[in-house]
Amino acid sequence: MQSNNRGTVLMVGEAIDGHLSAGTRDRGRMALNLAERLGGRPVGVLIGYESESAAHTWSAAAGISVIALEHAHCRFPNPTITASGVVDLVDEYAPRAVCFPHTMRPCHAAAALAFQLNVPCVTAVEAVAEKNNHFELKRSIFGGKLCRTVSVGQTPLVMTVMPGMGSPSLPAAAPGSPLSVETRSLPDADHGVIPQRIDRRRDADQ
């Protein structure tokens, strides 16, 4: 791990059949928001296949560097392979947080990743702050009737984030961090799963 990776926030998104999923498009701004609060830098992680063009689109739109992790079985969402691919990036970057969109398949991937890393996983996060070297995470409970604050001291923290958590006032890119787009191939392995084929129109409604 390089020292300039300290404080990295990994924001995981999906490319479905080569296109950014609906739940991924605005998550780059959230990564900027979180990285600013945590004193680090944001890095997008795009899971898909033949998705280099989508990675460049996400990087330019959000103002973050993006690593595209590709596997033929990830042409459509595959939570198990997603978690396995992100594990290696956690070893490389030692991030403070790994974030997923709060939609069905990314929630599965977040839980699988947290299990593999033996770290906390907090879902449906609406706001993040830091206090006394602990994450202070706010999430709604009881159907939105109450707001609960969860304090977590262990890193990396895996979480799923709700829409709208990003700040529109942030700069287009993190200062001093030149943008890059990198494509990596995930190794073949027996993941014990059947690739999921989905209706893209249904995905857009999530």
Side-chain angles (χ1 to χ4, degrees), residues 29-200:
R29 302 297 293 176
M30 292 186 184
L32 280 169
N33 179 279
L34 288 170
E36 182 191 47
R37 296 183 186 188
L38 300 177
R41 69 187 187 99
V43 176
V45 181
L46 189 64
I47 310 295
Y49 184 63
E50 296 180 344
S51 57
E52 183 177 357
S53 177
H56 280 279
T57 298
W58 195 26
S59 175
I64 63 173
S65 294
V66 173
I67 299 172
L69 299 182
E70 302 208 331
H71 191 283
H73 287 177
C74 290
R75 181 181 294 276
F76 297 95
N78 194 317
T80 303
I81 296 180
T82 295
S84 298
V86 175
V87 165
D88 289 338
L89 290 181
V90 170
D91 290 339
E92 178 179 347
Y93 281 84
R96 299 201 65 199
V98 183
C99 309
F100 293 78
H102 187 71
T103 54
M104 182 176 67
R105 291 176 302 274
C107 281
H108 292 173
L113 176 65
F115 178 80
Q116 291 184 47
L117 297 174
N118 193 28
V119 298
C121 180
V122 181
T123 60
V125 174
E126 299 171 353
V128 178
E130 188 173 16
K131 183 178 180 181
N132 298 327
N133 294 320
H134 281 65
F135 293 105
E136 298 285 340
L137 312 172
K138 291 187 177 181
R139 59 190 306 273
S140 296
I141 58 175
F142 299 116
K145 294 181 176 64
L146 295 175
C147 180
R148 181 178 185 179
T149 298
V150 180
S151 180
V152 181
Q154 184 177 349
T155 60
L157 169 66
V158 177
M159 58 181 159
T160 65
V161 293
M162 298 294 289
M165 197 172 70
S167 171
S169 63
L170 289 173
S177 298
L179 301 184
S180 64
V181 175
E182 179 184 355
T183 300
R184 304 183 186 183
S185 296
L186 293 173
D188 290 326
D190 181 8
H191 296 280
V193 295
I194 299 175
Q196 304 176 51
R197 187 173 186 90
I198 65 167
D199 185 330
R200 195 185 306 162

